[in-house]
mmCIF file of all heavy atoms in Angstrom:
data_model
loop_
_atom_site.group_PDB
_atom_site.id
_atom_site.type_symbol
_atom_site.label_atom_id
_atom_site.label_comp_id
_atom_site.label_asym_id
_atom_site.label_seq_id
_atom_site.Cartn_x
_atom_site.Cartn_y
_atom_site.Cartn_z
ATOM 1 N N VAL A 1 105.896 69.048 106.482
ATOM 2 C CA VAL A 1 107.227 69.248 105.892
ATOM 3 C C VAL A 1 107.099 69.736 104.449
ATOM 4 O O VAL A 1 107.803 70.668 104.018
ATOM 5 C CB VAL A 1 108.037 67.940 105.968
ATOM 6 C CG1 VAL A 1 109.336 68.067 105.182
ATOM 7 C CG2 VAL A 1 108.326 67.585 107.424
ATOM 8 N N GLU A 2 106.206 69.137 103.674
ATOM 9 C CA GLU A 2 106.002 69.564 102.294
ATOM 10 C C GLU A 2 105.473 70.998 102.231
ATOM 11 O O GLU A 2 105.858 71.779 101.359
ATOM 12 C CB GLU A 2 105.043 68.598 101.602
ATOM 13 C CG GLU A 2 105.622 67.188 101.437
ATOM 14 C CD GLU A 2 104.610 66.208 100.885
ATOM 15 O OE1 GLU A 2 103.458 66.648 100.634
ATOM 16 O OE2 GLU A 2 104.945 65.022 100.711
ATOM 17 N N GLU A 3 104.590 71.341 103.152
ATOM 18 C CA GLU A 3 104.073 72.708 103.203
ATOM 19 C C GLU A 3 105.187 73.706 103.495
ATOM 20 O O GLU A 3 105.242 74.797 102.902
ATOM 21 C CB GLU A 3 102.981 72.796 104.273
ATOM 22 C CG GLU A 3 102.424 74.197 104.504
ATOM 23 C CD GLU A 3 101.663 74.739 103.304
ATOM 24 O OE1 GLU A 3 101.266 73.943 102.432
ATOM 25 O OE2 GLU A 3 101.490 75.979 103.233
ATOM 26 N N ALA A 4 106.090 73.338 104.389
ATOM 27 C CA ALA A 4 107.206 74.230 104.712
ATOM 28 C C ALA A 4 108.119 74.420 103.499
ATOM 29 O O ALA A 4 108.587 75.538 103.213
ATOM 30 C CB ALA A 4 107.994 73.672 105.887
ATOM 31 N N ARG A 5 108.345 73.331 102.772
ATOM 32 C CA ARG A 5 109.174 73.456 101.569
ATOM 33 C C ARG A 5 108.473 74.310 100.508
ATOM 34 O O ARG A 5 109.125 75.083 99.788
ATOM 35 C CB ARG A 5 109.483 72.070 101.022
ATOM 36 C CG ARG A 5 110.430 71.276 101.928
ATOM 37 C CD ARG A 5 110.587 69.851 101.458
ATOM 38 N NE ARG A 5 111.525 69.116 102.304
ATOM 39 C CZ ARG A 5 111.718 67.795 102.231
ATOM 40 N NH1 ARG A 5 111.020 67.067 101.349
ATOM 41 N NH2 ARG A 5 112.585 67.199 103.030
ATOM 42 N N THR A 6 107.169 74.168 100.394
ATOM 43 C CA THR A 6 106.418 74.992 99.439
ATOM 44 C C THR A 6 106.519 76.463 99.807
ATOM 45 O O THR A 6 106.704 77.330 98.937
ATOM 46 C CB THR A 6 104.951 74.553 99.410
ATOM 47 O OG1 THR A 6 104.873 73.176 99.021
ATOM 48 C CG2 THR A 6 104.146 75.403 98.440
ATOM 49 N N ARG A 7 106.395 76.762 101.107
ATOM 50 C CA ARG A 7 106.511 78.158 101.537
ATOM 51 C C ARG A 7 107.909 78.704 101.272
ATOM 52 O O ARG A 7 108.066 79.890 100.947
ATOM 53 C CB ARG A 7 106.179 78.260 103.029
ATOM 54 C CG ARG A 7 104.716 77.953 103.343
ATOM 55 C CD ARG A 7 104.433 78.061 104.826
ATOM 56 N NE ARG A 7 103.044 77.736 105.142
ATOM 57 C CZ ARG A 7 102.518 77.783 106.371
ATOM 58 N NH1 ARG A 7 103.299 78.135 107.417
ATOM 59 N NH2 ARG A 7 101.254 77.478 106.568
ATOM 60 N N GLN A 8 108.928 77.824 101.401
ATOM 61 C CA GLN A 8 110.293 78.269 101.090
ATOM 62 C C GLN A 8 110.425 78.590 99.605
ATOM 63 O O GLN A 8 111.062 79.584 99.223
ATOM 64 C CB GLN A 8 111.285 77.174 101.472
ATOM 65 C CG GLN A 8 112.746 77.587 101.325
ATOM 66 C CD GLN A 8 113.162 78.609 102.361
ATOM 67 O OE1 GLN A 8 112.969 78.422 103.557
ATOM 68 N NE2 GLN A 8 113.726 79.717 101.891
ATOM 69 N N ALA A 9 109.801 77.766 98.760
ATOM 70 C CA ALA A 9 109.840 78.034 97.320
ATOM 71 C C ALA A 9 109.093 79.314 96.972
ATOM 72 O O ALA A 9 109.528 80.094 96.107
ATOM 73 C CB ALA A 9 109.251 76.843 96.560
ATOM 74 N N VAL A 10 107.972 79.536 97.641
ATOM 75 C CA VAL A 10 107.222 80.776 97.409
ATOM 76 C C VAL A 10 108.066 81.987 97.813
ATOM 77 O O VAL A 10 108.051 83.022 97.137
ATOM 78 C CB VAL A 10 105.891 80.747 98.191
ATOM 79 C CG1 VAL A 10 105.213 82.116 98.158
ATOM 80 C CG2 VAL A 10 104.965 79.683 97.620
ATOM 81 N N LEU A 11 108.818 81.847 98.897
ATOM 82 C CA LEU A 11 109.695 82.940 99.317
ATOM 83 C C LEU A 11 110.721 83.258 98.219
ATOM 84 O O LEU A 11 110.945 84.429 97.892
ATOM 85 C CB LEU A 11 110.398 82.561 100.626
ATOM 86 C CG LEU A 11 111.443 83.573 101.116
ATOM 87 C CD1 LEU A 11 110.803 84.899 101.460
ATOM 88 C CD2 LEU A 11 112.204 83.010 102.325
ATOM 89 N N SER A 12 111.317 82.207 97.680
ATOM 90 C CA SER A 12 112.287 82.429 96.607
ATOM 91 C C SER A 12 111.624 83.091 95.397
ATOM 92 O O SER A 12 112.206 83.973 94.747
ATOM 93 C CB SER A 12 112.932 81.098 96.192
ATOM 94 O OG SER A 12 113.615 80.502 97.287
ATOM 95 N N GLN A 13 110.405 82.661 95.073
ATOM 96 C CA GLN A 13 109.692 83.273 93.962
ATOM 97 C C GLN A 13 109.404 84.750 94.224
ATOM 98 O O GLN A 13 109.576 85.586 93.330
ATOM 99 C CB GLN A 13 108.377 82.518 93.725
ATOM 100 C CG GLN A 13 107.552 83.079 92.579
ATOM 101 C CD GLN A 13 106.248 82.329 92.391
ATOM 102 O OE1 GLN A 13 105.973 81.343 93.071
ATOM 103 N NE2 GLN A 13 105.439 82.806 91.462
ATOM 104 N N ARG A 14 108.989 85.076 95.438
ATOM 105 C CA ARG A 14 108.709 86.483 95.765
ATOM 106 C C ARG A 14 109.983 87.329 95.717
ATOM 107 O O ARG A 14 109.937 88.504 95.330
ATOM 108 C CB ARG A 14 108.065 86.567 97.148
ATOM 109 C CG ARG A 14 106.714 85.865 97.260
ATOM 110 C CD ARG A 14 105.667 86.560 96.401
ATOM 111 N NE ARG A 14 104.379 85.906 96.530
ATOM 112 C CZ ARG A 14 103.885 85.057 95.645
ATOM 113 N NH1 ARG A 14 104.595 84.755 94.548
ATOM 114 N NH2 ARG A 14 102.706 84.518 95.822
ATOM 115 N N ILE A 15 111.111 86.731 96.090
ATOM 116 C CA ILE A 15 112.385 87.462 96.001
ATOM 117 C C ILE A 15 112.696 87.785 94.532
ATOM 118 O O ILE A 15 113.081 88.910 94.196
ATOM 119 C CB ILE A 15 113.522 86.635 96.644
ATOM 120 C CG1 ILE A 15 113.299 86.503 98.156
ATOM 121 C CG2 ILE A 15 114.868 87.287 96.366
ATOM 122 C CD1 ILE A 15 114.276 85.563 98.837
ATOM 123 N N SER A 16 112.497 86.786 93.671
ATOM 124 C CA SER A 16 112.746 87.006 92.245
ATOM 125 C C SER A 16 111.793 88.049 91.671
ATOM 126 O O SER A 16 112.202 88.898 90.855
ATOM 127 C CB SER A 16 112.601 85.687 91.475
ATOM 128 O OG SER A 16 113.534 84.730 91.940
ATOM 129 N N GLU A 17 110.538 87.986 92.064
ATOM 130 C CA GLU A 17 109.565 88.957 91.561
ATOM 131 C C GLU A 17 109.934 90.375 91.971
ATOM 132 O O GLU A 17 109.784 91.324 91.180
ATOM 133 C CB GLU A 17 108.169 88.604 92.068
ATOM 134 C CG GLU A 17 107.606 87.342 91.432
ATOM 135 C CD GLU A 17 106.287 86.934 92.060
ATOM 136 O OE1 GLU A 17 105.906 87.555 93.096
ATOM 137 O OE2 GLU A 17 105.637 86.002 91.553
ATOM 138 N N LEU A 18 110.439 90.519 93.193
ATOM 139 C CA LEU A 18 110.857 91.850 93.639
ATOM 140 C C LEU A 18 112.063 92.330 92.838
ATOM 141 O O LEU A 18 112.129 93.500 92.428
ATOM 142 C CB LEU A 18 111.180 91.824 95.129
ATOM 143 C CG LEU A 18 111.684 93.155 95.722
ATOM 144 C CD1 LEU A 18 110.647 94.255 95.525
ATOM 145 C CD2 LEU A 18 112.040 92.991 97.192
ATOM 146 N N GLU A 19 113.006 91.435 92.568
ATOM 147 C CA GLU A 19 114.172 91.819 91.775
ATOM 148 C C GLU A 19 113.771 92.196 90.352
ATOM 149 O O GLU A 19 114.311 93.146 89.772
ATOM 150 C CB GLU A 19 115.185 90.671 91.753
ATOM 151 C CG GLU A 19 115.816 90.374 93.103
ATOM 152 C CD GLU A 19 116.558 91.569 93.671
ATOM 153 O OE1 GLU A 19 117.209 92.301 92.880
ATOM 154 O OE2 GLU A 19 116.494 91.786 94.889
ATOM 155 N N ILE A 20 112.811 91.455 89.774
ATOM 156 C CA ILE A 20 112.338 91.783 88.429
ATOM 157 C C ILE A 20 111.674 93.153 88.417
ATOM 158 O O ILE A 20 111.887 93.966 87.504
ATOM 159 C CB ILE A 20 111.374 90.695 87.920
ATOM 160 C CG1 ILE A 20 112.135 89.388 87.683
ATOM 161 C CG2 ILE A 20 110.668 91.140 86.647
ATOM 162 C CD1 ILE A 20 111.235 88.209 87.325
ATOM 163 N N ALA A 21 110.853 93.414 89.433
ATOM 164 C CA ALA A 21 110.181 94.715 89.507
ATOM 165 C C ALA A 21 111.192 95.851 89.648
ATOM 166 O O ALA A 21 111.053 96.911 89.022
ATOM 167 C CB ALA A 21 109.196 94.724 90.675
ATOM 168 N N LYS A 22 112.230 95.626 90.454
ATOM 169 C CA LYS A 22 113.273 96.646 90.593
ATOM 170 C C LYS A 22 114.026 96.848 89.274
ATOM 171 O O LYS A 22 114.362 97.977 88.911
ATOM 172 C CB LYS A 22 114.252 96.242 91.702
ATOM 173 C CG LYS A 22 113.681 96.326 93.110
ATOM 174 C CD LYS A 22 114.731 95.911 94.134
ATOM 175 C CE LYS A 22 114.222 96.028 95.546
ATOM 176 N NZ LYS A 22 115.242 95.614 96.560
ATOM 177 N N GLN A 23 114.289 95.725 88.569
ATOM 178 C CA GLN A 23 114.996 95.837 87.299
ATOM 179 C C GLN A 23 114.166 96.593 86.264
ATOM 180 O O GLN A 23 114.690 97.398 85.492
ATOM 181 C CB GLN A 23 115.346 94.444 86.784
ATOM 182 C CG GLN A 23 116.168 94.448 85.502
ATOM 183 C CD GLN A 23 117.493 95.150 85.676
ATOM 184 O OE1 GLN A 23 118.234 94.856 86.607
ATOM 185 N NE2 GLN A 23 117.804 96.083 84.782
ATOM 186 N N GLN A 24 112.861 96.326 86.243
ATOM 187 C CA GLN A 24 112.002 97.048 85.320
ATOM 188 C C GLN A 24 111.975 98.539 85.645
ATOM 189 O O GLN A 24 111.952 99.374 84.731
ATOM 190 C CB GLN A 24 110.587 96.465 85.355
ATOM 191 C CG GLN A 24 110.483 95.091 84.717
ATOM 192 C CD GLN A 24 109.075 94.537 84.772
ATOM 193 O OE1 GLN A 24 108.255 94.949 85.605
ATOM 194 N NE2 GLN A 24 108.776 93.587 83.896
ATOM 195 N N LEU A 25 111.987 98.866 86.926
ATOM 196 C CA LEU A 25 112.047 100.276 87.310
ATOM 197 C C LEU A 25 113.361 100.893 86.849
ATOM 198 O O LEU A 25 113.391 102.028 86.350
ATOM 199 C CB LEU A 25 111.892 100.412 88.823
ATOM 200 C CG LEU A 25 111.966 101.846 89.383
ATOM 201 C CD1 LEU A 25 110.860 102.707 88.781
ATOM 202 C CD2 LEU A 25 111.882 101.828 90.908
ATOM 203 N N ALA A 26 114.462 100.141 86.992
ATOM 204 C CA ALA A 26 115.753 100.646 86.508
ATOM 205 C C ALA A 26 115.767 100.756 84.991
ATOM 206 O O ALA A 26 116.390 101.669 84.425
ATOM 207 C CB ALA A 26 116.878 99.729 86.992
ATOM 208 N N ASP A 27 115.069 99.826 84.299
ATOM 209 C CA ASP A 27 115.030 99.865 82.843
ATOM 210 C C ASP A 27 114.181 100.998 82.307
ATOM 211 O O ASP A 27 114.173 101.235 81.088
ATOM 212 C CB ASP A 27 114.505 98.533 82.296
ATOM 213 C CG ASP A 27 115.487 97.402 82.494
ATOM 214 O OD1 ASP A 27 116.683 97.687 82.674
ATOM 215 O OD2 ASP A 27 115.057 96.225 82.482
ATOM 216 N N SER A 28 113.447 101.682 83.166
ATOM 217 C CA SER A 28 112.712 102.863 82.703
ATOM 218 C C SER A 28 113.661 104.018 82.413
ATOM 219 O O SER A 28 113.240 105.046 81.884
ATOM 220 C CB SER A 28 111.666 103.285 83.740
ATOM 221 O OG SER A 28 112.284 103.710 84.948
#
């Protein structure tokens, strides 16, 4: 159960990282 919650948190982190990367591309 803890592993599943960790993977869910990692998913949220990867979503944020993708949004940051897109924002940086837009900020160019």
Side-chain angles (χ1 to χ4, degrees):
V1 172
E2 294 174 0
E3 176 66 18
R5 291 173 178 171
T6 300
R7 293 180 181 182
Q8 186 70 52
V10 170
L11 175 64
S12 300
Q13 180 181 356
R14 297 294 181 259
I15 293 173
S16 299
E17 290 174 352
L18 178 59
E19 293 300 322
I20 292 174
K22 289 180 178 180
Q23 184 61 51
Q24 289 180 338
L25 179 60
D27 290 339
S28 65

